[in-house]
Each structure stands twice: as C-alpha cells, then as structure tokens.
C-alpha cells in the first residue's frame, strides 16, 4: 500500500453561516425583553445607530406674567422679587410698629436683620429660594423622591425583629445567616447542620436561634417544611393539641382525602375532623409571600388579532413592542470626509455595514412574525370564533408549507412570542397541539380541546363521579378515540384529583 500526495478540484454547494446570517437567525427567536437589550447594546457600541423616539406631545408654555405686575390671570405667578420691589412693601418702622418690637428681636436667630436702603423706606430684603419653607436647599428645590419609601422585604422585616429579640452578637450572627437562607415563600432552605458547620457554631445554638426566628412575624416563617409551618401557626393560636399534631404529621393522607384513616389516626369523629380540616385550610402555607414579592411582568403581545367588520380577522404587529432604529447616514458622510486614519475608516465602514444589516434584520423579523401569525389565525379561525373547544390540531410543518418557510424558522418565530386576542394574550406555541384521532374515521381533535372537554365533564359531575374509564366512554361517544392512560395524563395535567379522591371530597362536603 503506497501513500502519495495529489491536488484535486471539486465543485459543490454548501450553506455558509455568515455572521450576518447568524445575527438574523438569533433575532428571530429573541423575546421582546431580550431584543430590547440586544438593540440597546448595539446602540451603545455603534455610533451610527440612532433610536427612533416617539413624538412626545409638545408642552404648552405657561403664559408670562404681565410686566407691570397688575393682575394675575391664572398663568405663572409673579416672581418674589416683584412683590418686594412694589410699593406694597412696608418700611422697617411700619413692621416694627405692627410687631411692637424691634426686628433685631424677631430675627435674632435668623439671617442678618435687613437694613434700610439708601434710596427710601424700601427694605433691602433678599428673598429666600421660591418654595423654601425652612432650612437651606442651596437654591434648589427639595428632592421629593428621596422621601419615598420602598417596599419592605421579608429579610428586612425579620432582621428588624432580630435586633429587638436578642443582644448577643453570636446569636445575631446566627440569626442573620438563617434569615438570609429564608426564601420568598418564608421557608428555610438550608440545613441547620450545614449552617452550624459554616459558622463554626454548635448545633444546639443554631437550633435555639432558629426557634427564636420562628417566633417572628409572619407566623410560620423559617419553617423547614409545610408540616412545621402549620405547626408553628397552630402553636401561636394555642390549637396544637395531640389530635391536631397527629393530623399535621400525616398531610399525605389529607392530600389524598383519606378521611377514614385520618379519623382513626386522630381519634375523632367526622364532625371534629371536618372542623380540624377547615382550620388547617385557614392557615397560610406561604407566610413570606406578603413581603418582598417581585412585580408581576405583564405579557405584552407581539401581535394583535381583532375582528374586522366583514367577519374576517385583522392581524397587526404591536408597534410599541418593536425597537425602531435608524442609520445616521449624514453623520457617517460628515466624518468620512474628514482626514481620519485608516483604522478609523475601517471601523466606520464596519459600523455602517452592521447598522444597515441590523435595520434590515429587524424589518425581516417583523415581516416574518406577521406572516406566521397570519397563517396561525387562518388555521385556527374556529378558535377565535367559538373558543378552545374548537381548537384544531396544528404542527410546524403545516404552517411552514403554507407560507413557504422552513420548519426551523417557524419554530424560532413562535418561540417567546405571544398573540393578543379577545380571549386573552396567548403564546404562539399554544396554537400548536397534537392530534387525537376521531372515532370511526371522524376528523382528528386537538389535544388541548380534548383536555378542555375533560375539565368540562368533571366540572359537570352531579351525583356520580366519573372514573377515567367513564371519561373514556363519554369521549368516545362524542367521536374522540382516546386511551385511558391519555385521559389520566390529561386529568393530572389539569390537577384534577382521581375519582376516588373526588368521591371522598364530596362525601366530606355532604357530611358537613
């Protein structure tokens, strides 16, 4: 076998992923917040990019005060100097006569006493800054934002109580560490043995300080699990008797609604058990949620869908959610005409190319989103008319073939995007659902529509509780061919208890 070297020429085609193409693909799948952050970074880096700001309403100028100081027609108030320069200003002797004392006594602790001017009885008064009612702001108005109060966080609320509860420096150190380990729901997410190891303290000291923190407001804070959280609240209400202690220790039976087992465990009758369960429901399972909660971000739709007068649907982009940038060609021409170094010219050329490509990519992204959203609305028009029960099966391939794009492009467009409809703001992915075959060759049904139908059947239960087998039979009677395990999966995704648990709940309600 011999080895040899040789040159060959071959002709072929390959897709080259240029940086510009990668940027366009990246922009497609970005959400509104990520896209805004990306555009802001480009605006800071590229001097040729400018943001297109909305036209702000022109502020109405306040009418000027009359020069002679006569009258005030609701415009701007006269300046303080105008009041002092008018003939209405009393003389020093008149002021002292009204006060029945000398001005030296009245303004002893204030600024130097104003003295008579040489031209007449006018006082040489220097007015204080306008709006200053005390103290000195160095000629500036007070900062009212500095007086605003921030929302108290759970950590600050607990730390303030810790300062009042103990004076020991070591206990404060342990307590601060435990408070830092409390999550937003109010639970301690750090094992006390690890806390003791990190702080170099004894396990007994950490447990003692933890008991102290658990007495703070809100009740149930710093608990390590739900049972301990409920037990702390019950102890504060003096309701943690042996029967309630046994009930809290088996919350798994409470979740399963196994009332016979709970009666035997607690040693109570049906009436007492119902009262104990009602008392448990009145407790707060997340005591820290009232503090330090983050502001809920509203889902802003990328596309709006509204009904047209002729019965069709109008699909339009949300212009407020689209970042608008322009390329400053005049600035580029002005700078390029000057004597600049070769490196600066190369930098300007690169900035111009990047800016032009970014603006085109943003326009192409907007057109692609609008095209995909329009096809989704066309495919799911029955949903917009009649609701979720009429949602049709839809996949990416169907939309991609209809608009002449690749499936990966449609997948990127529908990621992190939402549509604003009369039925609420929904993610674009919501309209892509799997198909459930129809019985006896009927048309397929959307999995989301079947899930909605299962919820309707369960909510409409009157006397008899429908088992999963009964739900399967009901759905097959309606032309939906579905397996029992699929019904159970959909029921669990809707957080609907099993038929046994629902039957126990109805018996408990009837007995109460």
């Amino acid at each position: 076998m011999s080895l040899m070297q040789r040159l060959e020429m071959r002709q072929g085609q390959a897709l080259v992923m240029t940086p510009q193409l990668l940027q366009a693909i990246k922009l497609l799948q970005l959400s509104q917040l990520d896209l805004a952050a990306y555009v802001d970074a480009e605006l800071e880096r590229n001097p040729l990019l400018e943001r297109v700001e909305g036209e702000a309403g022109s502020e109405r100028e306040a009418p000027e005060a009359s020069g002679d100081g006569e009258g005030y027609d609701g415009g701007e108030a006269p300046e303080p100097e105008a009041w002092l320069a008018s003939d209405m200003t009393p003389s020093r002797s008149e002021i002292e006569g009204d006060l029945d004392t000398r001005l030296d006594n009245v303004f002893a602790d204030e600024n130097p006493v104003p003295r008579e001017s040489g031209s007449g009885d006018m006082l040489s008064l220097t007015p204080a800054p306008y709006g200053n009612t005390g103290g000195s702001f160095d000629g500036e108005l007070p900062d009212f934002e500095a007086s605003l109060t921030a929302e108290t966080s759970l950590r600050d609320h607990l730390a303030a109580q810790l300062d009042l509860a103990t004076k020991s420096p070591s206990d404060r150190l342990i307590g601060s560490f435990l408070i830092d380990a409390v999550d937003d729901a109010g639970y301690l997410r750090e094992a006390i043995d690890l806390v003791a190891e990190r702080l170099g303290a004894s396990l007994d000291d950490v447990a003692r300080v933890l008991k102290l923190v658990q007495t703070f407001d809100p009740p149930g804070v710093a608990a390590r699990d739900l049972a301990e959280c409920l037990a702390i609240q019950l102890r504060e209400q003096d309701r943690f008797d042996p029967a309630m202690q046994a009930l809290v220790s088996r919350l798994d039976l409470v979740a399963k609604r196994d009332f016979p087992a709970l009666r035997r465990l607690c040693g109570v009758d049906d009436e007492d058990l119902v009262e104990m369960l009602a008392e448990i429901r009145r407790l707060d399972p997340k005591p820290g949620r009232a503090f330090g909660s983050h502001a809920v971000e509203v889902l802003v739709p990328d596309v709006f869908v509204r009904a047209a007068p002729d019965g069709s649907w109008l699909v339009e982009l949300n212009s407020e959610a689209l970042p608008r940038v322009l390329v400053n060609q005049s600035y580029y021409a002005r700078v390029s005409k000057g004597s600049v170094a070769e490196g600066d010219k190369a930098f300007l050329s690169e900035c111009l190319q990047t800016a032009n490509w970014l603006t085109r990519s943003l326009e192409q992204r907007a057109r692609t989103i609008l095209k995909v959203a329009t096809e989704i609305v066309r495919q799911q028009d029955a949903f917009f008319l009649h609701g979720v029960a009429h949602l049709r099966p839809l996949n990416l391939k169907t939309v991609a073939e209809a608009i002449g794009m690749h499936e990966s492009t449609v997948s990127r467009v529908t990621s992190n995007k939402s549509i604003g409809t009369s039925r609420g703001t929904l993610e674009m992915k919501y309209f892509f659902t799997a198909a459930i075959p129809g019985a006896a060759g009927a048309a397929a049904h959307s999995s989301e529509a079947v899930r909605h139908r299962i919820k309707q059947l369960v909510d409409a239960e009157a006397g008899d509780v429908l088992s999963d087998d009964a739900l399967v039979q009901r759905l097959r009677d309606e032309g939906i061919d579905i397996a029992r395990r699929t019904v159970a999966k959909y029921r669990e995704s809707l957080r609907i208890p099993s038929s046994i648990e629902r039957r126990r709940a109805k018996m408990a309600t009837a007995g109460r």
Side-chain angles (χ1 to χ4, degrees), residues 328-357:
N328 195 337
Q329 298 283 357
S330 60
Y331 176 74
Y332 172 76
R334 185 169 63 253
V335 174
S336 299
K337 287 181 180 179
S339 57
V340 294
E342 292 296 330
D344 296 337
K345 287 184 178 180
F347 173 73
L348 288 174
S349 300
E350 181 184 356
C351 289
L352 180 62
Q353 182 181 4
T354 304
N356 289 329
W357 187 267

PDB file of all heavy atoms in Angstrom, residues 328-357:
ATOM      1  N   ASN A 328     -27.621  56.718  10.835  1.00  0.00           N
ATOM      2  CA  ASN A 328     -27.320  58.140  10.645  1.00  0.00           C
ATOM      3  C   ASN A 328     -26.334  58.276   9.492  1.00  0.00           C
ATOM      4  O   ASN A 328     -25.115  58.310   9.683  1.00  0.00           O
ATOM      5  CB  ASN A 328     -26.751  58.728  11.937  1.00  0.00           C
ATOM      6  CG  ASN A 328     -26.747  60.245  11.931  1.00  0.00           C
ATOM      7  OD1 ASN A 328     -26.765  60.870  10.876  1.00  0.00           O
ATOM      8  ND2 ASN A 328     -26.709  60.840  13.120  1.00  0.00           N
ATOM      9  N   GLN A 329     -26.865  58.364   8.276  1.00  0.00           N
ATOM     10  CA  GLN A 329     -26.017  58.466   7.098  1.00  0.00           C
ATOM     11  C   GLN A 329     -25.300  59.811   7.040  1.00  0.00           C
ATOM     12  O   GLN A 329     -24.151  59.884   6.582  1.00  0.00           O
ATOM     13  CB  GLN A 329     -26.869  58.276   5.833  1.00  0.00           C
ATOM     14  CG  GLN A 329     -27.553  56.918   5.731  1.00  0.00           C
ATOM     15  CD  GLN A 329     -26.604  55.812   5.315  1.00  0.00           C
ATOM     16  OE1 GLN A 329     -25.429  56.059   5.035  1.00  0.00           O
ATOM     17  NE2 GLN A 329     -27.114  54.591   5.267  1.00  0.00           N
ATOM     18  N   SER A 330     -25.938  60.877   7.468  1.00  0.00           N
ATOM     19  CA  SER A 330     -25.303  62.197   7.419  1.00  0.00           C
ATOM     20  C   SER A 330     -24.082  62.259   8.327  1.00  0.00           C
ATOM     21  O   SER A 330     -23.050  62.847   7.958  1.00  0.00           O
ATOM     22  CB  SER A 330     -26.311  63.274   7.808  1.00  0.00           C
ATOM     23  OG  SER A 330     -26.793  63.049   9.129  1.00  0.00           O
ATOM     24  N   TYR A 331     -24.180  61.638   9.500  1.00  0.00           N
ATOM     25  CA  TYR A 331     -23.027  61.630  10.402  1.00  0.00           C
ATOM     26  C   TYR A 331     -21.876  60.834   9.797  1.00  0.00           C
ATOM     27  O   TYR A 331     -20.703  61.240   9.890  1.00  0.00           O
ATOM     28  CB  TYR A 331     -23.432  61.045  11.752  1.00  0.00           C
ATOM     29  CG  TYR A 331     -22.299  60.908  12.737  1.00  0.00           C
ATOM     30  CD1 TYR A 331     -21.774  62.030  13.362  1.00  0.00           C
ATOM     31  CD2 TYR A 331     -21.763  59.660  13.040  1.00  0.00           C
ATOM     32  CE1 TYR A 331     -20.728  61.916  14.265  1.00  0.00           C
ATOM     33  CE2 TYR A 331     -20.721  59.537  13.937  1.00  0.00           C
ATOM     34  CZ  TYR A 331     -20.203  60.664  14.543  1.00  0.00           C
ATOM     35  OH  TYR A 331     -19.167  60.558  15.428  1.00  0.00           O
ATOM     36  N   TYR A 332     -22.206  59.726   9.147  1.00  0.00           N
ATOM     37  CA  TYR A 332     -21.157  58.925   8.509  1.00  0.00           C
ATOM     38  C   TYR A 332     -20.486  59.706   7.378  1.00  0.00           C
ATOM     39  O   TYR A 332     -19.256  59.689   7.248  1.00  0.00           O
ATOM     40  CB  TYR A 332     -21.753  57.629   7.966  1.00  0.00           C
ATOM     41  CG  TYR A 332     -20.795  56.814   7.128  1.00  0.00           C
ATOM     42  CD1 TYR A 332     -19.789  56.076   7.725  1.00  0.00           C
ATOM     43  CD2 TYR A 332     -20.899  56.799   5.741  1.00  0.00           C
ATOM     44  CE1 TYR A 332     -18.895  55.334   6.963  1.00  0.00           C
ATOM     45  CE2 TYR A 332     -20.019  56.059   4.963  1.00  0.00           C
ATOM     46  CZ  TYR A 332     -19.017  55.324   5.580  1.00  0.00           C
ATOM     47  OH  TYR A 332     -18.131  54.592   4.819  1.00  0.00           O
ATOM     48  N   ALA A 333     -21.289  60.423   6.569  1.00  0.00           N
ATOM     49  CA  ALA A 333     -20.704  61.194   5.472  1.00  0.00           C
ATOM     50  C   ALA A 333     -19.854  62.338   5.998  1.00  0.00           C
ATOM     51  O   ALA A 333     -18.780  62.632   5.446  1.00  0.00           O
ATOM     52  CB  ALA A 333     -21.823  61.725   4.582  1.00  0.00           C
ATOM     53  N   ARG A 334     -20.285  62.980   7.068  1.00  0.00           N
ATOM     54  CA  ARG A 334     -19.527  64.108   7.604  1.00  0.00           C
ATOM     55  C   ARG A 334     -18.200  63.657   8.195  1.00  0.00           C
ATOM     56  O   ARG A 334     -17.167  64.321   8.028  1.00  0.00           O
ATOM     57  CB  ARG A 334     -20.372  64.835   8.656  1.00  0.00           C
ATOM     58  CG  ARG A 334     -19.727  66.100   9.189  1.00  0.00           C
ATOM     59  CD  ARG A 334     -20.714  66.918  10.024  1.00  0.00           C
ATOM     60  NE  ARG A 334     -21.166  66.205  11.206  1.00  0.00           N
ATOM     61  CZ  ARG A 334     -22.371  65.694  11.346  1.00  0.00           C
ATOM     62  NH1 ARG A 334     -23.253  65.779  10.348  1.00  0.00           N
ATOM     63  NH2 ARG A 334     -22.714  65.072  12.464  1.00  0.00           N
ATOM     64  N   VAL A 335     -18.223  62.513   8.891  1.00  0.00           N
ATOM     65  CA  VAL A 335     -16.987  62.037   9.499  1.00  0.00           C
ATOM     66  C   VAL A 335     -16.042  61.468   8.439  1.00  0.00           C
ATOM     67  O   VAL A 335     -14.825  61.642   8.514  1.00  0.00           O
ATOM     68  CB  VAL A 335     -17.303  60.985  10.577  1.00  0.00           C
ATOM     69  CG1 VAL A 335     -16.028  60.374  11.133  1.00  0.00           C
ATOM     70  CG2 VAL A 335     -18.101  61.614  11.700  1.00  0.00           C
ATOM     71  N   SER A 336     -16.584  60.805   7.435  1.00  0.00           N
ATOM     72  CA  SER A 336     -15.741  60.190   6.413  1.00  0.00           C
ATOM     73  C   SER A 336     -15.027  61.228   5.563  1.00  0.00           C
ATOM     74  O   SER A 336     -13.942  60.957   5.030  1.00  0.00           O
ATOM     75  CB  SER A 336     -16.587  59.275   5.514  1.00  0.00           C
ATOM     76  OG  SER A 336     -17.177  58.251   6.279  1.00  0.00           O
ATOM     77  N   LYS A 337     -15.618  62.408   5.390  1.00  0.00           N
ATOM     78  CA  LYS A 337     -14.985  63.436   4.563  1.00  0.00           C
ATOM     79  C   LYS A 337     -13.743  64.003   5.228  1.00  0.00           C
ATOM     80  O   LYS A 337     -12.855  64.511   4.545  1.00  0.00           O
ATOM     81  CB  LYS A 337     -15.981  64.561   4.293  1.00  0.00           C
ATOM     82  CG  LYS A 337     -17.085  64.189   3.313  1.00  0.00           C
ATOM     83  CD  LYS A 337     -18.021  65.358   3.081  1.00  0.00           C
ATOM     84  CE  LYS A 337     -19.124  64.979   2.105  1.00  0.00           C
ATOM     85  NZ  LYS A 337     -20.079  66.109   1.876  1.00  0.00           N
ATOM     86  N   GLY A 338     -13.681  63.945   6.538  1.00  0.00           N
ATOM     87  CA  GLY A 338     -12.527  64.487   7.225  1.00  0.00           C
ATOM     88  C   GLY A 338     -11.312  63.583   7.095  1.00  0.00           C
ATOM     89  O   GLY A 338     -11.356  62.476   6.562  1.00  0.00           O
ATOM     90  N   SER A 339     -10.205  64.101   7.547  1.00  0.00           N
ATOM     91  CA  SER A 339      -8.957  63.322   7.498  1.00  0.00           C
ATOM     92  C   SER A 339      -8.917  62.392   8.698  1.00  0.00           C
ATOM     93  O   SER A 339      -8.629  62.797   9.814  1.00  0.00           O
ATOM     94  CB  SER A 339      -7.755  64.274   7.519  1.00  0.00           C
ATOM     95  OG  SER A 339      -7.801  65.102   8.661  1.00  0.00           O
ATOM     96  N   VAL A 340      -9.236  61.155   8.470  1.00  0.00           N
ATOM     97  CA  VAL A 340      -9.237  60.152   9.529  1.00  0.00           C
ATOM     98  C   VAL A 340      -8.243  59.065   9.190  1.00  0.00           C
ATOM     99  O   VAL A 340      -7.870  58.859   8.016  1.00  0.00           O
ATOM    100  CB  VAL A 340     -10.648  59.537   9.709  1.00  0.00           C
ATOM    101  CG1 VAL A 340     -11.624  60.579  10.208  1.00  0.00           C
ATOM    102  CG2 VAL A 340     -11.150  58.940   8.407  1.00  0.00           C
ATOM    103  N   ALA A 341      -7.800  58.377  10.192  1.00  0.00           N
ATOM    104  CA  ALA A 341      -6.824  57.309   9.990  1.00  0.00           C
ATOM    105  C   ALA A 341      -7.472  56.118   9.318  1.00  0.00           C
ATOM    106  O   ALA A 341      -8.703  55.983   9.278  1.00  0.00           O
ATOM    107  CB  ALA A 341      -6.207  56.914  11.331  1.00  0.00           C
ATOM    108  N   GLU A 342      -6.633  55.234   8.801  1.00  0.00           N
ATOM    109  CA  GLU A 342      -7.147  54.059   8.119  1.00  0.00           C
ATOM    110  C   GLU A 342      -7.922  53.156   9.073  1.00  0.00           C
ATOM    111  O   GLU A 342      -8.934  52.570   8.706  1.00  0.00           O
ATOM    112  CB  GLU A 342      -5.978  53.285   7.482  1.00  0.00           C
ATOM    113  CG  GLU A 342      -5.313  53.997   6.335  1.00  0.00           C
ATOM    114  CD  GLU A 342      -6.257  54.186   5.160  1.00  0.00           C
ATOM    115  OE1 GLU A 342      -7.149  53.330   4.982  1.00  0.00           O
ATOM    116  OE2 GLU A 342      -6.112  55.182   4.434  1.00  0.00           O
ATOM    117  N   GLY A 343      -7.438  53.058  10.296  1.00  0.00           N
ATOM    118  CA  GLY A 343      -8.156  52.236  11.269  1.00  0.00           C
ATOM    119  C   GLY A 343      -9.525  52.786  11.594  1.00  0.00           C
ATOM    120  O   GLY A 343     -10.496  52.034  11.746  1.00  0.00           O
ATOM    121  N   ASP A 344      -9.638  54.118  11.664  1.00  0.00           N
ATOM    122  CA  ASP A 344     -10.933  54.730  11.926  1.00  0.00           C
ATOM    123  C   ASP A 344     -11.888  54.541  10.755  1.00  0.00           C
ATOM    124  O   ASP A 344     -13.090  54.328  10.934  1.00  0.00           O
ATOM    125  CB  ASP A 344     -10.760  56.215  12.219  1.00  0.00           C
ATOM    126  CG  ASP A 344      -9.956  56.455  13.490  1.00  0.00           C
ATOM    127  OD1 ASP A 344      -9.930  55.539  14.330  1.00  0.00           O
ATOM    128  OD2 ASP A 344      -9.373  57.545  13.620  1.00  0.00           O
ATOM    129  N   LYS A 345     -11.339  54.630   9.518  1.00  0.00           N
ATOM    130  CA  LYS A 345     -12.180  54.400   8.351  1.00  0.00           C
ATOM    131  C   LYS A 345     -12.716  52.972   8.323  1.00  0.00           C
ATOM    132  O   LYS A 345     -13.887  52.736   8.005  1.00  0.00           O
ATOM    133  CB  LYS A 345     -11.386  54.688   7.086  1.00  0.00           C
ATOM    134  CG  LYS A 345     -11.123  56.156   6.828  1.00  0.00           C
ATOM    135  CD  LYS A 345     -10.403  56.348   5.498  1.00  0.00           C
ATOM    136  CE  LYS A 345     -10.177  57.833   5.222  1.00  0.00           C
ATOM    137  NZ  LYS A 345      -9.477  58.059   3.935  1.00  0.00           N
ATOM    138  N   ALA A 346     -11.850  52.017   8.656  1.00  0.00           N
ATOM    139  CA  ALA A 346     -12.306  50.623   8.695  1.00  0.00           C
ATOM    140  C   ALA A 346     -13.368  50.423   9.762  1.00  0.00           C
ATOM    141  O   ALA A 346     -14.350  49.702   9.563  1.00  0.00           O
ATOM    142  CB  ALA A 346     -11.117  49.697   8.955  1.00  0.00           C
ATOM    143  N   PHE A 347     -13.199  51.105  10.910  1.00  0.00           N
ATOM    144  CA  PHE A 347     -14.194  50.998  11.982  1.00  0.00           C
ATOM    145  C   PHE A 347     -15.533  51.587  11.549  1.00  0.00           C
ATOM    146  O   PHE A 347     -16.597  51.008  11.796  1.00  0.00           O
ATOM    147  CB  PHE A 347     -13.678  51.704  13.232  1.00  0.00           C
ATOM    148  CG  PHE A 347     -14.687  51.797  14.344  1.00  0.00           C
ATOM    149  CD1 PHE A 347     -15.030  50.678  15.084  1.00  0.00           C
ATOM    150  CD2 PHE A 347     -15.303  53.004  14.645  1.00  0.00           C
ATOM    151  CE1 PHE A 347     -15.965  50.748  16.101  1.00  0.00           C
ATOM    152  CE2 PHE A 347     -16.232  53.098  15.655  1.00  0.00           C
ATOM    153  CZ  PHE A 347     -16.564  51.965  16.386  1.00  0.00           C
ATOM    154  N   LEU A 348     -15.501  52.748  10.876  1.00  0.00           N
ATOM    155  CA  LEU A 348     -16.730  53.361  10.410  1.00  0.00           C
ATOM    156  C   LEU A 348     -17.424  52.511   9.362  1.00  0.00           C
ATOM    157  O   LEU A 348     -18.655  52.383   9.354  1.00  0.00           O
ATOM    158  CB  LEU A 348     -16.431  54.756   9.858  1.00  0.00           C
ATOM    159  CG  LEU A 348     -16.093  55.836  10.882  1.00  0.00           C
ATOM    160  CD1 LEU A 348     -15.687  57.126  10.174  1.00  0.00           C
ATOM    161  CD2 LEU A 348     -17.261  56.093  11.819  1.00  0.00           C
ATOM    162  N   SER A 349     -16.638  51.913   8.466  1.00  0.00           N
ATOM    163  CA  SER A 349     -17.236  51.043   7.447  1.00  0.00           C
ATOM    164  C   SER A 349     -17.893  49.827   8.079  1.00  0.00           C
ATOM    165  O   SER A 349     -18.999  49.417   7.690  1.00  0.00           O
ATOM    166  CB  SER A 349     -16.165  50.606   6.442  1.00  0.00           C
ATOM    167  OG  SER A 349     -15.600  51.723   5.793  1.00  0.00           O
ATOM    168  N   GLU A 350     -17.235  49.268   9.072  1.00  0.00           N
ATOM    169  CA  GLU A 350     -17.825  48.109   9.765  1.00  0.00           C
ATOM    170  C   GLU A 350     -19.095  48.511  10.506  1.00  0.00           C
ATOM    171  O   GLU A 350     -20.094  47.778  10.493  1.00  0.00           O
ATOM    172  CB  GLU A 350     -16.807  47.524  10.741  1.00  0.00           C
ATOM    173  CG  GLU A 350     -17.320  46.306  11.499  1.00  0.00           C
ATOM    174  CD  GLU A 350     -16.333  45.813  12.538  1.00  0.00           C
ATOM    175  OE1 GLU A 350     -15.228  46.377  12.618  1.00  0.00           O
ATOM    176  OE2 GLU A 350     -16.688  44.870  13.277  1.00  0.00           O
ATOM    177  N   CYS A 351     -19.078  49.679  11.149  1.00  0.00           N
ATOM    178  CA  CYS A 351     -20.276  50.149  11.856  1.00  0.00           C
ATOM    179  C   CYS A 351     -21.419  50.394  10.884  1.00  0.00           C
ATOM    180  O   CYS A 351     -22.581  50.085  11.180  1.00  0.00           O
ATOM    181  CB  CYS A 351     -19.955  51.421  12.633  1.00  0.00           C
ATOM    182  SG  CYS A 351     -18.898  51.160  14.081  1.00  0.00           S
ATOM    183  N   LEU A 352     -21.110  50.950   9.704  1.00  0.00           N
ATOM    184  CA  LEU A 352     -22.162  51.198   8.721  1.00  0.00           C
ATOM    185  C   LEU A 352     -22.753  49.890   8.216  1.00  0.00           C
ATOM    186  O   LEU A 352     -23.985  49.758   8.086  1.00  0.00           O
ATOM    187  CB  LEU A 352     -21.591  52.007   7.558  1.00  0.00           C
ATOM    188  CG  LEU A 352     -22.576  52.355   6.444  1.00  0.00           C
ATOM    189  CD1 LEU A 352     -23.708  53.219   6.969  1.00  0.00           C
ATOM    190  CD2 LEU A 352     -21.859  53.041   5.294  1.00  0.00           C
ATOM    191  N   GLN A 353     -21.914  48.920   7.947  1.00  0.00           N
ATOM    192  CA  GLN A 353     -22.410  47.630   7.471  1.00  0.00           C
ATOM    193  C   GLN A 353     -23.252  46.942   8.542  1.00  0.00           C
ATOM    194  O   GLN A 353     -24.326  46.394   8.251  1.00  0.00           O
ATOM    195  CB  GLN A 353     -21.232  46.745   7.068  1.00  0.00           C
ATOM    196  CG  GLN A 353     -21.640  45.387   6.513  1.00  0.00           C
ATOM    197  CD  GLN A 353     -20.437  44.538   6.154  1.00  0.00           C
ATOM    198  OE1 GLN A 353     -19.295  44.938   6.389  1.00  0.00           O
ATOM    199  NE2 GLN A 353     -20.683  43.362   5.593  1.00  0.00           N
ATOM    200  N   THR A 354     -22.776  46.989   9.778  1.00  0.00           N
ATOM    201  CA  THR A 354     -23.524  46.361  10.874  1.00  0.00           C
ATOM    202  C   THR A 354     -24.858  47.059  11.107  1.00  0.00           C
ATOM    203  O   THR A 354     -25.884  46.410  11.338  1.00  0.00           O
ATOM    204  CB  THR A 354     -22.688  46.387  12.156  1.00  0.00           C
ATOM    205  OG1 THR A 354     -21.426  45.748  11.922  1.00  0.00           O
ATOM    206  CG2 THR A 354     -23.406  45.675  13.289  1.00  0.00           C
ATOM    207  N   ALA A 355     -24.868  48.375  11.038  1.00  0.00           N
ATOM    208  CA  ALA A 355     -26.107  49.128  11.260  1.00  0.00           C
ATOM    209  C   ALA A 355     -27.122  48.830  10.169  1.00  0.00           C
ATOM    210  O   ALA A 355     -28.315  48.624  10.450  1.00  0.00           O
ATOM    211  CB  ALA A 355     -25.800  50.617  11.328  1.00  0.00           C
ATOM    212  N   ASN A 356     -26.669  48.826   8.904  1.00  0.00           N
ATOM    213  CA  ASN A 356     -27.591  48.520   7.806  1.00  0.00           C
ATOM    214  C   ASN A 356     -28.156  47.111   7.928  1.00  0.00           C
ATOM    215  O   ASN A 356     -29.346  46.875   7.698  1.00  0.00           O
ATOM    216  CB  ASN A 356     -26.874  48.690   6.465  1.00  0.00           C
ATOM    217  CG  ASN A 356     -26.597  50.147   6.141  1.00  0.00           C
ATOM    218  OD1 ASN A 356     -27.356  51.025   6.530  1.00  0.00           O
ATOM    219  ND2 ASN A 356     -25.512  50.414   5.428  1.00  0.00           N
ATOM    220  N   TRP A 357     -27.303  46.172   8.292  1.00  0.00           N
ATOM    221  CA  TRP A 357     -27.776  44.794   8.422  1.00  0.00           C
ATOM    222  C   TRP A 357     -28.740  44.646   9.592  1.00  0.00           C
ATOM    223  O   TRP A 357     -29.716  43.904   9.506  1.00  0.00           O
ATOM    224  CB  TRP A 357     -26.599  43.847   8.578  1.00  0.00           C
ATOM    225  CG  TRP A 357     -27.013  42.411   8.548  1.00  0.00           C
ATOM    226  CD1 TRP A 357     -27.315  41.606   9.610  1.00  0.00           C
ATOM    227  CD2 TRP A 357     -27.230  41.612   7.381  1.00  0.00           C
ATOM    228  NE1 TRP A 357     -27.685  40.362   9.194  1.00  0.00           N
ATOM    229  CE2 TRP A 357     -27.644  40.332   7.819  1.00  0.00           C
ATOM    230  CE3 TRP A 357     -27.108  41.849   6.028  1.00  0.00           C
ATOM    231  CZ2 TRP A 357     -27.930  39.300   6.938  1.00  0.00           C
ATOM    232  CZ3 TRP A 357     -27.389  40.812   5.151  1.00  0.00           C
ATOM    233  CH2 TRP A 357     -27.802  39.562   5.607  1.00  0.00           C
TER     234      TRP A 357
END
